[in-house]
Coordinates of all heavy atoms in Angstrom, one line a residue:
M1 N 64.4 55.3 82.3 CA 63.0 55.0 81.9 C 62.6 56.3 81.2 O 63.0 57.3 81.5 CB 62.2 54.7 83.0 CG 62.2 53.4 83.7 SD 60.9 53.0 84.7 CE 61.7 52.9 86.3
G2 N 61.5 56.0 80.3 CA 60.9 57.2 79.7 C 59.8 57.9 80.6 O 59.5 57.4 81.7
V3 N 59.3 58.9 80.2 CA 58.4 59.7 81.0 C 57.1 58.9 81.4 O 56.7 58.9 82.5 CB 58.0 61.0 80.3 CG1 57.1 60.8 79.1 CG2 57.3 61.9 81.4
V4 N 56.7 58.0 80.4 CA 55.4 57.2 80.7 C 55.7 56.2 81.8 O 54.9 56.0 82.7 CB 55.0 56.5 79.4 CG1 53.8 55.6 79.7 CG2 54.5 57.5 78.4
E5 N 56.9 55.5 81.7 CA 57.3 54.6 82.7 C 57.6 55.2 84.0 O 57.1 54.6 85.0 CB 58.5 53.8 82.2 CG 58.2 52.7 81.0 CD 58.4 53.6 79.7 OE1 58.7 54.7 79.6 OE2 58.0 52.9 78.6
D6 N 58.2 56.3 84.0 CA 58.4 57.1 85.2 C 57.1 57.4 86.0 O 57.0 57.2 87.2 CB 59.2 58.3 85.1 CG 60.7 58.1 84.6 OD1 61.1 57.0 84.9 OD2 61.3 59.0 84.0
L7 N 56.1 58.0 85.1 CA 54.9 58.3 85.8 C 54.2 57.1 86.3 O 53.5 57.1 87.4 CB 54.0 59.0 84.7 CG 54.5 60.4 84.3 CD1 53.7 61.0 83.2 CD2 54.4 61.5 85.6
G8 N 54.2 56.0 85.5 CA 53.4 54.7 85.9 C 54.0 54.1 87.2 O 53.4 53.8 88.0
D9 N 55.4 54.2 87.2 CA 56.0 53.6 88.3 C 55.8 54.6 89.6 O 55.5 54.0 90.7 CB 57.6 53.5 88.1 CG 58.3 52.7 89.4 OD1 57.7 51.7 89.6 OD2 59.2 53.2 89.9
D10 N 55.8 55.8 89.5 CA 55.6 56.7 90.6 C 54.1 56.5 91.1 O 53.9 56.4 92.3 CB 55.8 58.2 90.1 CG 55.3 59.1 91.3 OD1 56.1 59.2 92.3 OD2 54.4 59.9 91.2
L11 N 53.1 56.4 90.1 CA 51.9 56.1 90.6 C 51.7 54.8 91.2 O 50.9 54.6 92.2 CB 50.9 56.3 89.4 CG 49.3 56.4 89.7 CD1 49.0 57.3 90.7 CD2 48.6 56.5 88.4
A12 N 52.4 53.8 90.8 CA 52.4 52.4 91.3 C 52.9 52.5 92.7 O 52.2 51.9 93.6 CB 53.1 51.4 90.5
Q13 N 53.9 53.1 93.0 CA 54.4 53.3 94.4 C 53.5 54.0 95.3 O 53.2 53.5 96.5 CB 55.8 54.0 94.3 CG 56.9 53.3 93.7 CD 58.2 54.1 93.7 OE1 58.7 54.5 94.8 NE2 58.7 54.4 92.5
R14 N 52.9 55.0 94.9 CA 51.9 55.8 95.6 C 50.6 54.9 95.9 O 50.1 54.9 96.9 CB 51.6 57.1 95.0 CG 52.8 58.0 95.0 CD 52.5 59.3 94.2 NE 51.4 60.0 94.9 CZ 50.9 61.2 94.3 NH1 51.2 61.6 93.2 NH2 49.9 61.8 95.1
T15 N 50.2 54.2 94.9 CA 49.1 53.2 95.0 C 49.4 52.1 96.0 O 48.5 51.7 96.7 CB 48.7 52.7 93.7 OG1 48.3 53.7 92.7 CG2 47.5 51.9 93.6
L16 N 50.5 51.6 96.0 CA 50.9 50.5 96.9 C 50.7 51.1 98.3 O 50.2 50.4 99.2 CB 52.3 50.0 96.7 CG 52.4 49.0 95.5 CD1 53.9 48.9 95.0 CD2 51.7 47.7 95.8
A17 N 51.2 52.2 98.6 CA 51.2 52.8 100.0 C 49.7 53.1 100.2 O 49.2 52.8 101.4 CB 51.9 54.1 99.9
A18 N 48.9 53.5 99.4 CA 47.4 53.8 99.5 C 46.7 52.5 99.8 O 45.8 52.4 100.8 CB 46.8 54.5 98.4
M19 N 47.1 51.4 99.1 CA 46.4 50.1 99.3 C 46.7 49.6 100.7 O 45.7 49.1 101.3 CB 47.0 49.0 98.3 CG 46.5 49.2 96.8 SD 47.4 48.4 95.5 CE 47.6 46.8 96.2
E20 N 47.9 49.8 101.2 CA 48.2 49.4 102.6 C 47.3 50.2 103.6 O 46.8 49.7 104.5 CB 49.7 49.6 102.8 CG 50.1 48.8 104.0 CD 51.7 48.8 104.0 OE1 52.3 48.4 103.1 OE2 52.3 49.1 105.2
E21 N 47.3 51.5 103.4 CA 46.4 52.4 104.2 C 44.9 52.1 104.2 O 44.3 52.1 105.2 CB 46.8 53.8 103.9 CG 46.1 54.9 104.8 CD 46.5 56.3 104.6 OE1 47.6 56.5 104.0 OE2 45.7 57.1 104.9
I22 N 44.5 51.9 103.0 CA 43.1 51.6 102.8 C 42.6 50.3 103.2 O 41.5 49.9 103.6 CB 42.7 51.9 101.2 CG1 42.9 53.3 100.9 CG2 41.3 51.3 101.0 CD1 42.7 53.6 99.4
G23 N 43.7 49.3 103.0 CA 43.3 47.9 103.4 C 42.7 47.2 102.3 O 42.0 46.2 102.6
D24 N 42.9 47.6 101.0 CA 42.3 46.8 99.9 C 43.4 46.5 98.9 O 43.9 47.4 98.2 CB 41.3 47.9 99.3 CG 40.6 47.3 97.9 OD1 40.9 46.1 97.7 OD2 39.7 48.0 97.4
D25 N 43.7 45.2 98.8 CA 44.8 44.8 97.9 C 44.5 44.7 96.5 O 45.3 44.4 95.6 CB 45.4 43.5 98.4 CG 44.4 42.3 98.2 OD1 43.2 42.6 98.1 OD2 44.8 41.2 98.4
R26 N 43.2 45.1 96.2 CA 42.8 45.2 94.7 C 42.4 46.6 94.3 O 42.0 46.8 93.2 CB 41.5 44.3 94.5 CG 41.5 42.9 95.2 CD 42.4 41.9 94.4 NE 41.7 41.7 93.3 CZ 42.1 40.8 92.3 NH1 43.4 40.4 92.4 NH2 41.5 40.5 91.1
F27 N 42.8 47.5 95.1 CA 42.5 49.0 94.8 C 43.2 49.4 93.5 O 42.5 50.3 92.8 CB 42.9 49.8 96.0 CG 42.6 51.3 95.7 CD1 41.3 51.8 95.8 CD2 43.7 52.2 95.6 CE1 41.1 53.2 95.6 CE2 43.4 53.5 95.5 CZ 42.1 54.1 95.4
Y28 N 44.3 48.8 93.1 CA 45.0 49.3 92.0 C 44.1 49.1 90.7 O 44.5 49.8 89.8 CB 46.4 48.7 91.9 CG 46.5 47.3 91.5 CD1 46.7 46.8 90.3 CD2 46.3 46.3 92.6 CE1 46.7 45.5 89.9 CE2 46.4 44.9 92.3 CZ 46.6 44.5 91.0 OH 46.8 43.2 90.7
F29 N 43.2 48.2 90.7 CA 42.3 48.0 89.6 C 41.5 49.2 89.3 O 41.3 49.6 88.2 CB 41.4 46.8 89.7 CG 42.2 45.5 89.6 CD1 42.4 44.6 90.6 CD2 42.8 45.1 88.3 CE1 43.0 43.3 90.4 CE2 43.4 44.0 88.1 CZ 43.5 43.1 89.3
Q30 N 41.0 49.9 90.4 CA 40.2 51.1 90.3 C 41.1 52.2 89.8 O 40.7 53.0 88.9 CB 39.7 51.5 91.6 CG 38.6 50.4 92.1 CD 38.2 50.8 93.5 OE1 37.9 51.9 93.8 NE2 38.1 49.7 94.4
V31 N 42.4 52.4 90.2 CA 43.3 53.3 89.8 C 43.5 53.0 88.3 O 43.5 54.1 87.4 CB 44.6 53.4 90.6 CG1 45.5 54.4 89.9 CG2 44.4 53.6 92.0
A32 N 43.7 51.9 87.8 CA 44.0 51.6 86.4 C 42.8 52.0 85.6 O 43.0 52.5 84.5 CB 44.3 50.1 86.3
K33 N 41.6 51.8 86.1 CA 40.4 52.1 85.3 C 40.4 53.7 85.0 O 40.0 54.1 84.0 CB 39.3 51.6 86.0 CG 37.9 51.8 85.2 CD 36.7 51.1 86.0 CE 35.5 51.2 85.0 NZ 34.4 50.6 85.7
V34 N 40.7 54.4 86.1 CA 40.6 55.9 86.0 C 41.7 56.3 85.0 O 41.4 57.2 84.1 CB 40.9 56.5 87.4 CG1 41.1 58.0 87.2 CG2 39.8 56.2 88.3
I35 N 42.9 55.8 85.0 CA 44.0 56.0 84.0 C 43.6 55.7 82.6 O 43.8 56.4 81.7 CB 45.3 55.3 84.5 CG1 45.9 55.7 85.8 CG2 46.4 55.7 83.4 CD1 46.9 54.8 86.4
G36 N 43.1 54.4 82.5 CA 42.7 54.0 81.2 C 41.7 54.7 80.4 O 41.8 54.7 79.3
A37 N 40.9 55.5 81.2 CA 40.0 56.3 80.5 C 40.5 57.4 79.8 O 40.0 58.0 78.8 CB 38.9 56.8 81.5
S38 N 41.8 57.8 80.2 CA 42.3 58.9 79.6 C 43.6 58.5 78.7 O 43.9 59.1 77.7 CB 42.9 60.0 80.5 OG 41.8 60.5 81.2
S39 N 44.3 57.5 79.3 CA 45.6 57.1 78.5 C 45.9 55.7 78.8 O 46.4 55.2 79.8 CB 46.8 57.9 79.2 OG 47.9 57.4 78.5
P40 N 45.5 54.9 77.7 CA 45.8 53.4 77.8 C 47.3 53.2 77.9 O 47.7 52.1 78.6 CB 45.2 52.8 76.5 CG 44.2 53.9 76.1 CD 44.7 55.2 76.6
T41 N 48.1 54.0 77.3 CA 49.6 53.9 77.5 C 50.1 54.0 78.8 O 50.9 53.2 79.4 CB 50.2 55.0 76.5 OG1 49.7 54.8 75.2 CG2 51.7 54.7 76.6
L42 N 49.6 54.9 79.6 CA 49.9 55.2 81.0 C 49.3 54.0 81.8 O 50.0 53.5 82.8 CB 49.5 56.5 81.5 CG 49.9 56.7 83.0 CD1 51.4 56.7 83.2 CD2 49.4 58.0 83.4
E43 N 48.1 53.6 81.5 CA 47.5 52.4 82.1 C 48.5 51.2 82.2 O 48.7 50.6 83.2 CB 46.1 52.1 81.6 CG 45.5 50.9 82.3 CD 44.2 50.6 81.6 OE1 44.0 50.9 80.4 OE2 43.3 49.9 82.4
E44 N 48.9 50.8 81.0 CA 49.8 49.7 80.8 C 51.0 49.8 81.6 O 51.6 49.0 82.1 CB 50.0 49.4 79.3 CG 50.8 48.1 79.1 CD 50.1 46.9 79.8 OE1 48.9 46.8 79.8 OE2 50.8 46.0 80.2
A45 N 51.7 51.1 81.5 CA 52.9 51.3 82.3 C 52.7 51.1 83.7 O 53.5 50.5 84.5 CB 53.4 52.6 82.0
F46 N 51.5 51.7 84.3 CA 51.2 51.6 85.6 C 51.0 50.1 86.0 O 51.5 49.6 87.0 CB 49.8 52.4 85.9 CG 49.2 52.1 87.1 CD1 49.8 52.6 88.3 CD2 48.1 51.3 87.3 CE1 49.1 52.3 89.6 CE2 47.5 51.1 88.5 CZ 48.0 51.6 89.6
L47 N 50.2 49.4 85.2 CA 50.0 48.0 85.5 C 51.2 47.1 85.5 O 51.3 46.3 86.3 CB 48.9 47.4 84.5 CG 47.5 47.9 84.9 CD1 46.6 47.4 83.7 CD2 47.0 47.4 86.3
T48 N 52.2 47.5 84.6 CA 53.4 46.7 84.5 C 54.1 47.0 85.8 O 54.7 46.2 86.5 CB 54.2 47.1 83.3 OG1 53.5 46.8 82.1 CG2 55.5 46.5 83.2
A49 N 54.2 48.3 86.2 CA 55.0 48.6 87.5 C 54.3 48.0 88.6 O 55.0 47.4 89.6 CB 55.0 50.1 87.6
M50 N 52.9 47.9 88.7 CA 52.3 47.2 89.8 C 52.6 45.9 89.8 O 52.9 45.2 90.8 CB 50.7 47.4 89.6 CG 50.3 48.8 90.0 SD 50.5 49.3 91.8 CE 49.8 48.0 92.8
R51 N 52.6 45.0 88.6 CA 52.9 43.7 88.6 C 54.3 43.3 89.1 O 54.5 42.4 89.9 CB 52.6 43.0 87.2 CG 51.1 42.9 86.8 CD 51.0 42.2 85.5 NE 51.5 43.0 84.4 CZ 50.9 43.8 83.5 NH1 49.6 43.9 83.8 NH2 51.4 44.4 82.7
V52 N 55.2 44.2 88.6 CA 56.6 44.0 89.0 C 56.8 44.2 90.5 O 57.4 43.4 91.2 CB 57.6 44.9 88.2 CG1 58.9 44.9 88.7 CG2 57.5 44.4 86.7
R53 N 56.2 45.2 91.0 CA 56.4 45.6 92.4 C 55.7 44.5 93.3 O 56.2 44.2 94.4 CB 55.9 46.9 92.7 CG 56.8 47.9 92.1 CD 56.5 49.4 92.5 NE 57.5 50.4 92.1 CZ 58.7 50.6 92.7 NH1 58.9 50.0 93.8 NH2 59.6 51.4 92.3
L54 N 54.5 44.1 92.9 CA 53.8 43.0 93.7 C 54.6 41.7 93.7 O 54.7 41.0 94.7 CB 52.4 42.9 93.3 CG 51.4 44.1 93.4 CD1 50.2 43.9 92.7 CD2 51.1 44.1 94.9
A55 N 55.1 41.4 92.5 CA 55.9 40.1 92.4 C 57.1 40.2 93.2 O 57.5 39.2 93.9 CB 56.3 39.8 90.9
A56 N 57.8 41.4 93.2 CA 59.0 41.6 94.0 C 58.7 41.4 95.5 O 59.4 40.8 96.3 CB 59.6 42.8 93.7
A57 N 57.6 42.0 95.9 CA 57.2 41.8 97.3 C 56.9 40.4 97.7 O 57.3 39.9 98.8 CB 55.9 42.7 97.6
R58 N 56.2 39.7 96.8 CA 55.9 38.2 97.0 C 57.3 37.4 97.2 O 57.4 36.6 98.0 CB 55.0 37.6 96.0 CG 53.6 38.1 96.2 CD 52.7 37.2 95.3 NE 52.9 37.4 93.9 CZ 52.4 38.4 93.1 NH1 51.5 39.2 93.6 NH2 52.6 38.4 91.9
G59 N 58.1 37.8 96.3 CA 59.5 37.2 96.2 C 60.3 37.5 97.6 O 60.9 36.5 98.1
R60 N 60.2 38.7 98.0 CA 60.9 39.0 99.3 C 60.4 38.3 100.4 O 61.1 37.8 101.3 CB 60.9 40.6 99.4 CG 61.9 41.4 98.7 CD 61.9 42.8 99.2 NE 60.7 43.5 99.0 CZ 60.2 44.2 98.0 NH1 60.9 44.2 96.9 NH2 59.1 44.7 98.0
K61 N 59.0 38.2 100.5 CA 58.3 37.4 101.6 C 58.7 36.0 101.6 O 59.0 35.5 102.6 CB 56.8 37.7 101.4 CG 56.1 37.1 102.7 CD 54.6 37.1 102.5 CE 53.9 36.5 103.7 NZ 54.5 35.3 104.4
F62 N 58.7 35.4 100.4 CA 59.1 34.0 100.3 C 60.6 33.8 100.7 O 60.8 33.0 101.6 CB 59.0 33.5 98.9 CG 59.4 32.0 98.7 CD1 58.6 31.1 99.3 CD2 60.6 31.7 98.3 CE1 59.0 29.6 99.1 CE2 61.0 30.4 98.1 CZ 60.3 29.4 98.6
L63 N 61.4 34.7 100.4 CA 62.8 34.7 100.8 C 62.9 34.8 102.3 O 63.7 34.1 102.9 CB 63.7 35.7 100.1 CG 65.2 35.8 100.4 CD1 65.8 34.5 100.1 CD2 65.7 37.0 99.6
D64 N 62.2 35.8 102.9 CA 62.3 36.0 104.3 C 61.8 34.9 105.0 O 62.2 34.4 106.1 CB 61.5 37.4 104.7 CG 62.2 38.6 104.2 OD1 63.3 38.5 103.8 OD2 61.4 39.6 104.2
D65 N 60.7 34.3 104.6 CA 60.0 33.1 105.2 C 60.9 31.9 105.1 O 61.1 31.1 106.2 CB 58.7 32.7 104.6 CG 57.6 33.7 104.9 OD1 57.7 34.6 105.7 OD2 56.5 33.6 104.2
A66 N 61.7 31.8 104.1 CA 62.6 30.6 103.9 C 63.7 30.7 104.9 O 64.1 29.7 105.5 CB 63.1 30.5 102.5
L67 N 64.3 31.9 104.9 CA 65.4 32.1 105.9 C 65.0 32.0 107.3 O 65.7 31.4 108.2 CB 66.0 33.5 105.6 CG 66.8 33.6 104.3 CD1 67.2 35.1 104.1 CD2 68.0 32.7 104.2
K68 N 63.8 32.5 107.7 CA 63.4 32.4 109.0 C 63.1 30.9 109.4 O 63.4 30.5 110.4 CB 62.0 33.1 109.2 CG 61.5 33.2 110.5 CD 60.1 34.0 110.6 CE 59.5 33.9 112.0 NZ 58.2 34.7 112.1
A69 N 62.6 30.1 108.5 CA 62.4 28.8 108.7 C 63.6 28.0 109.0 O 63.8 27.2 109.8 CB 61.5 28.1 107.6
R70 N 64.6 28.3 108.1 CA 65.9 27.6 108.0 C 66.6 28.0 109.4 O 67.2 27.0 110.0 CB 66.7 28.0 106.8 CG 68.0 27.3 106.7 CD 67.7 25.8 106.6 NE 69.0 25.1 105.9 CZ 69.0 23.8 106.0 NH1 67.9 23.1 106.4 NH2 70.1 23.3 105.4
R71 N 66.6 29.3 109.7 CA 67.3 29.7 111.0 C 66.7 29.1 112.1 O 67.3 28.9 113.2 CB 67.4 31.1 111.0 CG 68.2 31.7 109.9 CD 68.2 33.3 109.8 NE 69.1 33.7 108.7 CZ 68.9 34.9 108.2 NH1 67.9 35.7 108.5 NH2 69.7 35.3 107.2
G72 N 65.4 28.8 112.0 CA 64.7 28.2 113.2 C 64.8 26.7 113.2 O 64.1 26.0 114.0
G73 N 65.5 26.1 112.3 CA 65.6 24.7 112.2 C 64.5 23.9 111.4 O 64.4 22.8 111.5
G74 N 63.5 24.6 110.9 CA 62.5 24.0 110.1 C 62.8 23.9 108.7 O 63.8 24.4 108.2
P75 N 61.9 23.2 108.1 CA 62.0 23.0 106.6 C 61.8 24.3 105.8 O 61.0 25.2 106.3 CB 61.1 22.1 106.2 CG 60.0 22.1 107.2 CD 60.7 22.5 108.5
I76 N 62.5 24.5 104.7 CA 62.2 25.7 103.9 C 60.9 25.5 103.1 O 60.7 24.4 102.6 CB 63.3 25.9 102.9 CG1 64.7 26.1 103.6 CG2 63.1 26.9 101.8 CD1 65.9 26.3 102.7
P77 N 60.0 26.4 103.1 CA 58.7 26.3 102.5 C 58.9 26.1 101.0 O 59.8 26.6 100.4 CB 58.0 27.6 102.8 CG 59.1 28.5 103.2 CD 60.2 27.8 103.7
L78 N 57.9 25.4 100.5 CA 57.9 25.3 99.0 C 57.3 26.5 98.3 O 56.3 27.0 98.9 CB 57.1 23.9 98.6 CG 57.8 22.7 99.1 CD1 56.8 21.4 98.8 CD2 59.2 22.4 98.5
P79 N 57.7 26.8 97.1 CA 57.0 27.8 96.5 C 55.6 27.4 96.1 O 55.4 26.2 95.9 CB 57.8 28.1 95.3 CG 58.6 26.9 95.0 CD 58.7 26.3 96.4
P80 N 54.7 28.3 95.9 CA 53.4 28.0 95.5 C 53.4 27.4 94.0 O 54.3 27.6 93.3 CB 52.5 29.3 95.4 CG 53.5 30.4 95.3 CD 54.9 29.8 96.0
P81 N 52.4 26.5 93.7 CA 52.4 26.0 92.4 C 52.3 27.0 91.3 O 51.9 28.1 91.5 CB 51.2 25.0 92.3 CG 50.4 25.3 93.6 CD 51.3 26.1 94.5
D82 N 52.7 26.7 90.1 CA 52.7 27.7 89.1 C 51.3 28.3 89.0 O 50.3 27.7 89.0 CB 53.0 27.0 87.7 CG 54.4 26.7 87.6 OD1 55.2 27.2 88.4 OD2 54.7 25.9 86.6
G83 N 51.3 29.7 88.9 CA 50.0 30.4 88.8 C 49.4 30.8 90.1 O 48.6 31.6 90.2
A84 N 49.7 30.0 91.1 CA 49.0 30.3 92.4 C 49.5 31.5 93.1 O 50.8 31.8 93.1 CB 49.2 29.1 93.3
G85 N 48.7 32.3 93.6 CA 49.1 33.5 94.3 C 49.4 34.7 93.4 O 49.8 35.7 93.9
A86 N 49.2 34.4 92.1 CA 49.6 35.5 91.2 C 48.4 36.4 91.1 O 47.3 35.9 91.0 CB 50.0 35.0 89.8
A87 N 48.6 37.7 91.1 CA 47.5 38.7 90.9 C 46.9 38.7 89.5 O 47.7 38.6 88.5 CB 47.9 40.1 91.3
A88 N 45.8 38.7 89.4 CA 45.1 38.6 88.1 C 45.0 40.0 87.6 O 44.3 40.9 88.0 CB 43.7 38.0 88.1
V89 N 45.8 40.4 86.5 CA 45.9 41.7 86.0 C 45.5 41.7 84.6 O 46.0 40.8 83.7 CB 47.2 42.4 86.2 CG1 47.3 43.7 85.7 CG2 47.6 42.4 87.7

């Protein structure tokens, strides 16, 4: 990755940890606003990293839930309909 992507991803990882500690799953919008005031390029890299990491977390949760259900003898859950559960970024 380039320096902008590296910085955006590092900040995304730190922001995800802060969101968990703060208890606000939308906190990253505030971070993006602060970044965007100085560097729209870094803001976009940060938001891309956030979207990718949030999507990966949702995917891992769905996979874990499906395996847990299957191992428990229950039906595998259906994925949400298109667009449902996606963060608005």
Side-chain angles (χ1 to χ4, degrees):
M1 282 196 246
V3 69
V4 173
E5 290 83 7
D6 289 344
L7 290 169
D9 188 54
D10 178 64
L11 189 55
Q13 290 179 61
R14 295 175 62 188
T15 300
L16 284 167
M19 286 167 44
E20 202 169 305
E21 186 174 329
I22 293 168
D24 180 358
D25 66 348
R26 314 283 289 172
F27 180 70
Y28 70 98
F29 287 113
Q30 295 175 47
V31 176
K33 187 173 183 177
V34 170
I35 298 167
S38 299
S39 175
T41 303
L42 181 57
E43 177 187 23
E44 187 54 40
F46 167 73
L47 287 172
T48 297
M50 286 298 303
R51 286 189 293 265
V52 168
R53 290 183 172 282
L54 290 169
R58 284 191 297 272
R60 281 191 301 274
K61 182 180 181 332
F62 177 77
L63 179 60
D64 291 346
D65 291 348
L67 289 172
K68 183 178 176 182
R70 185 62 161 173
R71 291 172 182 156
I76 294 176
L78 296 174
D82 288 345
V89 179

